[in-house]
Amino acid sequence: MFKYSHKVQFYETDMMGIVHHSNYLRFYEEARVAFAHSLGWIDYQKPESASQFAVLETRVKHRRPLFFGDEVEILIQGRVEGVRVIFQYKMRARGEDISVAETSHAALDKDLKVKRLPADFAEKLGNGQWTETWL
Amino acid sequence: MFKYSHKVQFYETDMMGIVHHSNYLRFYEEARVAFAHSLGWIDYQKPESASQFAVLETRVKHRRPLFFGDEVEILIQGRVEGVRVIFQYKMRARGEDISVAETSHAALDKDLKVKRLPADFAEKLGNGQWTETWL
Amino acid sequence: MFKYSHKVQFYETDMMGIVHHSNYLRFYEEARVAFAHSLGWIDYQKPESASQFAVLETRVKHRRPLFFGDEVEILIQGRVEGVRVIFQYKMRARGEDISVAETSHAALDKDLKVKRLPADFAEKLGNGQWTETWL
Amino acid sequence: MFKYSHKVQFYETDMMGIVHHSNYLRFYEEARVAFAHSLGWIDYQKPESASQFAVLETRVKHRRPLFFGDEVEILIQGRVEGVRVIFQYKMRARGEDISVAETSHAALDKDLKVKRLPADFAEKLGNGQWTETWL
């Protein structure tokens, strides 16, 4: 299973002394991009390869806060549902469960219309490995 | 019904030429804070008044993108469910439906334990006006 | 003289309880964009009109911190120096001087090469009104 | 000499397709915090250790843009001048010089008054190694 790490930066905190909740979507995006890159779907030399998917929906559940300096670990799993790609995420830090999340996406063509996914997309994504739902 | 406006800034866009999805949670927070301020719950002279609520869950559905310079309008409604406060939001711009969202929160005491809401909280929040769900 | 207002948001603070210093460049950009729009140089219907200038240099001096809820007021003045456009900014809040700044920019053509400014650019910018330096 | 790395994320870009200039101050802060941590000045278990220094001034010069996926390398050097601590930075990516910067800071006591630096501060910072100015 793909695992991603992020170290919490000072500028990611807010006046409550914890990471602002909007930044979780950024950490989850970091994990998703790294995962897509590991599958050969994002080529850093061709930035447009990262712009082909629109975000349709995001959902984040918070259990414990994140603090400055925390080493965050994110697990990610993906699945295809029709024209949608669904990702789920588990975030841990300090030996604790911090947050779980789900985001869904669709591939867009040049006119921003939803288009079909390539035939082998689901297989590459590891549909078979998604054996439990995380939220 | 409480209405909030936000003008989309250049730094809120990403390389897709649209507002990055993480910023929607920031716009929704702006609306929520302004709403809480209008109810007398946030005193800008006492910043700790804004730090008493933790974010438990966020959910955002995207219909259309936002662009640089867009005038965004957000409608907000609130409801109490046990120790939770739930807000729902409708976002419009350019005469179109852009996004809907829901966030849930709990009041925390000094030791970060969930505490009961004040007796008149639900009434002030306008529980009775929440007659339909937005997502 | 052009004046711009910004209300400090919760997500703009950091764990020191004040606005993170990187956000000052965002507030100054907001002022610069609004100023350019007032001069007819930015057309929100043509976002590319806002992308024609590169940032060459930024400089910010901090005198007092900004807090959540502060009503920030920014004064801005502009001047042309060869192919460069220079802006200076004064930021005030709570009746106090908060910060001063200077940014310099150049117009770019499609190949990201620096290009000459239009003939009437300096005049429109109000070169004559820049009578004192602010930092 | 202390060296820090940062990988450019999707959410750090703007609609020009490059990293927004305000994010450079965040990358430079990342480098400064990592440097301070390497010197034993920041203890991630005591977040207040990172909050003792105020930012007095920042200055950034841009030579080339940063793109999504770039591997950024930052060199940092520090020096004491009276009650001020000065850092200078060199940023490189793709084998090119991207940006140079300088930030200055002062230690604050609990009442936000500037206080003297510890006697061995300058020595630890490696004053002697600052042999050339970078901007």
Side-chain angles (χ1 to χ4, degrees):
Chain A
M1 185 156 293
F2 191 80
K3 194 181 286 188
Y4 180 79
S5 295
H6 173 97
K7 187 169 187 65
V8 173
Q9 300 301 325
F10 193 87
Y11 60 79
E12 292 165 344
T13 60
D14 64 26
M15 62 190 262
M16 288 182 74
I18 61 177
V19 170
H20 191 266
H21 64 283
S22 64
N23 289 326
Y24 285 68
L25 289 180
R26 299 183 173 194
F27 303 165
Y28 287 128
E29 179 184 83
E30 290 187 25
R32 185 170 66 249
V33 165
F35 185 34
H37 181 253
S38 77
L39 296 172
W41 292 341
I42 289 186
D43 178 349
Y44 291 124
Q45 304 312 309
K46 299 179 185 167
E48 65 280 9
S49 62
S51 300
Q52 293 167 343
F53 281 85
V55 177
L56 301 179
E57 197 169 335
T58 64
R59 195 173 177 186
V60 184
K61 290 189 182 185
H62 297 273
R63 290 185 184 146
R64 306 274 304 158
L66 281 179
F67 299 100
F68 168 62
D70 274 354
E71 298 282 354
V72 179
E73 214 170 72
I74 299 174
L75 285 175
I76 182 169
Q77 64 180 358
R79 189 172 60 177
V80 172
E81 284 184 10
V83 296
R84 289 194 170 212
V85 190
I86 317 286
F87 293 99
Q88 286 193 342
Y89 316 79
K90 272 185 193 172
M91 185 188 282
R92 287 178 61 80
R94 310 179 314 260
E96 298 180 309
D97 292 332
I98 301 296
S99 165
V100 288
E102 182 176 288
T103 63
S104 68
H105 309 261
L108 300 184
D109 63 18
K110 277 178 292 182
D111 303 318
L112 299 181
K113 301 278 180 198
V114 171
K115 65 175 182 184
R116 283 210 196 173
L117 297 166
D120 61 346
F121 194 94
E123 191 191 356
K124 275 192 181 168
L125 194 54
N127 262 22
Q129 292 163 40
W130 179 309
T131 55
E132 52 167 16
T133 187
W134 292 348
L135 79 170
Chain B
M1 184 158 292
F2 191 80
K3 194 180 287 189
Y4 179 80
S5 296
H6 174 96
K7 186 170 188 60
V8 173
Q9 301 301 325
F10 192 89
Y11 60 79
E12 292 164 345
T13 60
D14 64 25
M15 61 190 264
M16 288 182 74
I18 60 177
V19 169
H20 191 265
H21 64 283
S22 63
N23 289 326
Y24 285 68
L25 289 180
R26 300 183 174 194
F27 304 164
Y28 286 127
E29 179 185 83
E30 290 187 27
R32 185 170 67 247
V33 165
F35 184 36
H37 181 253
S38 77
L39 295 172
W41 292 341
I42 288 185
D43 179 350
Y44 291 124
Q45 306 311 311
K46 298 179 185 167
E48 65 280 9
S49 63
S51 299
Q52 292 167 345
F53 281 84
V55 177
L56 301 179
E57 199 169 336
T58 64
R59 194 172 178 188
V60 183
K61 290 188 182 186
H62 299 274
R63 288 182 187 149
R64 304 278 302 159
L66 282 178
F67 300 100
F68 168 63
D70 274 352
E71 298 283 354
V72 180
E73 214 170 73
I74 298 174
L75 286 175
I76 181 169
Q77 63 180 358
R79 189 173 60 178
V80 171
E81 284 185 10
V83 295
R84 290 194 169 210
V85 189
I86 318 285
F87 294 98
Q88 287 193 342
Y89 317 79
K90 273 186 193 171
M91 183 188 285
R92 286 179 62 80
R94 308 180 314 264
E96 299 180 310
D97 292 331
I98 301 296
S99 164
V100 289
E102 182 177 289
T103 63
S104 68
H105 309 260
L108 300 184
D109 64 18
K110 276 179 294 184
D111 303 319
L112 299 181
K113 301 277 180 199
V114 171
K115 65 175 181 183
R116 284 209 195 173
L117 297 167
D120 62 347
F121 194 94
E123 191 191 356
K124 277 191 181 169
L125 194 54
N127 263 21
Q129 292 162 41
W130 179 308
T131 55
E132 52 168 16
T133 187
W134 292 348
L135 80 169
Chain C
M1 185 157 293
F2 191 79
K3 195 182 285 191
Y4 179 80
S5 296
H6 174 97
K7 186 168 186 64
V8 173
Q9 301 301 324
F10 192 87
Y11 60 79
E12 292 165 344
T13 61
D14 64 25
M15 61 191 264
M16 287 181 75
I18 60 177
V19 170
H20 191 266
H21 64 283
S22 63
N23 289 326
Y24 285 67
L25 289 180
R26 299 182 174 195
F27 304 165
Y28 286 127
E29 179 185 82
E30 290 187 26
R32 185 171 65 247
V33 165
F35 185 35
H37 181 253
S38 77
L39 295 173
W41 292 340
I42 289 186
D43 179 349
Y44 291 125
Q45 305 312 309
K46 299 179 185 166
E48 65 280 10
S49 63
S51 300
Q52 292 167 344
F53 281 84
V55 177
L56 302 179
E57 198 169 336
T58 65
R59 193 172 178 187
V60 183
K61 289 189 183 185
H62 299 273
R63 289 183 186 149
R64 306 276 303 158
L66 281 177
F67 299 101
F68 169 63
D70 274 353
E71 299 283 355
V72 179
E73 215 171 70
I74 299 174
L75 286 175
I76 182 169
Q77 64 180 357
R79 189 173 58 177
V80 171
E81 284 184 11
V83 295
R84 291 195 168 209
V85 190
I86 317 286
F87 294 99
Q88 286 194 342
Y89 316 80
K90 273 187 195 172
M91 185 187 283
R92 287 180 60 82
R94 308 179 314 262
E96 299 180 310
D97 292 331
I98 301 295
S99 165
V100 288
E102 183 177 287
T103 63
S104 68
H105 308 262
L108 300 184
D109 63 19
K110 277 179 291 184
D111 303 319
L112 299 181
K113 300 278 178 198
V114 171
K115 65 175 182 184
R116 282 209 196 175
L117 297 167
D120 62 346
F121 194 95
E123 191 190 356
K124 277 193 181 167
L125 194 55
N127 263 21
Q129 292 162 42
W130 178 309
T131 56
E132 52 168 14
T133 188
W134 292 349
L135 79 168
Chain D
M1 186 158 293
F2 190 80
K3 193 180 288 189
Y4 179 79
S5 297
H6 174 97
K7 186 169 188 62
V8 173
Q9 300 301 325
F10 192 88
Y11 60 79
E12 291 164 346
T13 60
D14 64 26
M15 62 191 263
M16 288 182 74
I18 60 177
V19 170
H20 191 266
H21 64 282
S22 64
N23 290 326
Y24 285 68
L25 289 180
R26 300 184 173 193
F27 304 164
Y28 287 128
E29 179 185 85
E30 290 188 25
R32 185 171 66 247
V33 165
F35 185 35
H37 181 253
S38 77
L39 295 172
W41 292 340
I42 289 186
D43 179 350
Y44 291 123
Q45 304 312 311
K46 299 179 185 166
E48 65 280 9
S49 63
S51 299
Q52 293 168 345
F53 280 84
V55 176
L56 301 179
E57 198 169 336
T58 64
R59 194 172 178 188
V60 183
K61 291 189 181 185
H62 298 273
R63 289 183 186 149
R64 304 278 303 158
L66 281 177
F67 300 101
F68 169 62
D70 273 353
E71 299 282 354
V72 179
E73 215 171 72
I74 299 174
L75 285 175
I76 183 170
Q77 63 179 358
R79 188 174 59 178
V80 171
E81 283 185 11
V83 295
R84 291 194 168 210
V85 190
I86 318 285
F87 294 99
Q88 287 194 342
Y89 316 79
K90 272 187 195 171
M91 184 188 285
R92 286 179 63 80
R94 309 179 315 262
E96 298 179 310
D97 292 331
I98 301 296
S99 165
V100 288
E102 182 177 288
T103 64
S104 68
H105 310 261
L108 300 184
D109 63 20
K110 276 179 293 183
D111 304 318
L112 298 181
K113 301 278 179 198
V114 171
K115 65 176 183 183
R116 284 210 195 172
L117 297 167
D120 62 346
F121 194 94
E123 190 191 359
K124 276 191 181 170
L125 194 55
N127 262 21
Q129 292 162 41
W130 179 308
T131 56
E132 52 167 14
T133 188
W134 292 348
L135 78 171

